Amino acid sequence: DFILMQNYPNPFNSTTTITYSMPQQKNVILEVFNVKGEKIATLINSRVSTGSYTVTWNGKDNFGRSVPSGIYLCRIQVGSYQHTIRMLLLK
């Protein structure tokens, strides 16, 4: 199964680590959204081989601007599979 683990630490201050596993090679999209559903950052959008991976999010948007404290959603998409986790940024 494709797995998106809960980020750690959570809540986090400046950076958090997101881990996911791939049972087969597929295109992966890993994105961060605010609670309004607006895309904040794209962490991955590429073909990924089988295995486990970690990604660090630095609390910044796609333009390099720091985002405010709050709840953020991290969504993984692999084909028709989607899974979302909640992350809490506290500054």
Side-chain angles (χ1 to χ4, degrees):
D1 291 341
F2 302 103
I3 298 173
L4 176 62
M5 303 292 289
Q6 185 62 51
N7 64 303
Y8 63 91
N10 192 33
F12 68 100
N13 184 336
S14 57
T15 62
T16 190
T17 301
I18 303 159
T19 302
Y20 66 96
S21 295
M22 300 291 297
Q24 55 187 291
Q25 185 177 19
K26 292 271 188 179
N27 190 59
V28 173
I29 301 171
L30 189 65
E31 299 170 310
V32 178
F33 297 86
N34 63 19
V35 291
K36 296 178 186 177
E38 301 165 330
K39 184 170 31 173
I40 301 299
T42 300
L43 305 178
I44 298 172
N45 187 359
S46 63
R47 193 157 187 84
V48 176
S49 299
T50 303
S52 292
Y53 298 89
T54 58
V55 176
T56 301
W57 182 45
N58 59 4
K60 295 185 179 184
D61 65 14
N62 280 333
F63 302 102
R65 300 176 297 213
S66 292
V67 299
S69 294
I71 296 172
Y72 292 89
L73 305 172
C74 180
R75 180 181 71 190
I76 192 168
Q77 284 184 276
V78 182
S80 61
Y81 172 80
Q82 290 186 24
H83 185 71
T84 303
I85 58 170
R86 276 193 207 179
M87 306 182 294
L88 179 58
L89 171 59
L90 294 175
K91 292 187 177 183

